[in-house]
Amino acid sequence: MGYDRAGEVCRRCGTIIERTVIGGRSSFFCPKCQPVASAVTPPASPKKR
């Protein structure tokens, strides 16, 4: 979404950009366009037969 833009508005939806630290590095994201739940929820695995 953009480096060092925490507190500014998302260019796509107007929501405030947030900052988080992952592995000691800053990450900036829009919580509306990039919800955290989708980032940490693993994809469904195929069913075994």
Side-chain angles (χ1 to χ4, degrees):
M1 282 282 156
Y3 176 75
D4 204 22
R5 293 194 59 225
E8 295 182 24
V9 295
C10 173
R11 295 177 184 144
R12 182 176 180 188
C13 72
T15 301
I16 301 296
I17 299 292
E18 294 183 10
R19 175 185 172 262
T20 189
V21 178
I22 302 171
R25 301 187 67 170
S26 294
S27 182
F28 301 86
F29 67 99
C30 170
K32 184 174 179 183
C33 294
Q34 296 178 294
V36 176
S38 66
V40 295
T41 304
S45 59
K47 294 183 179 186
K48 295 180 181 180
R49 293 182 189 189

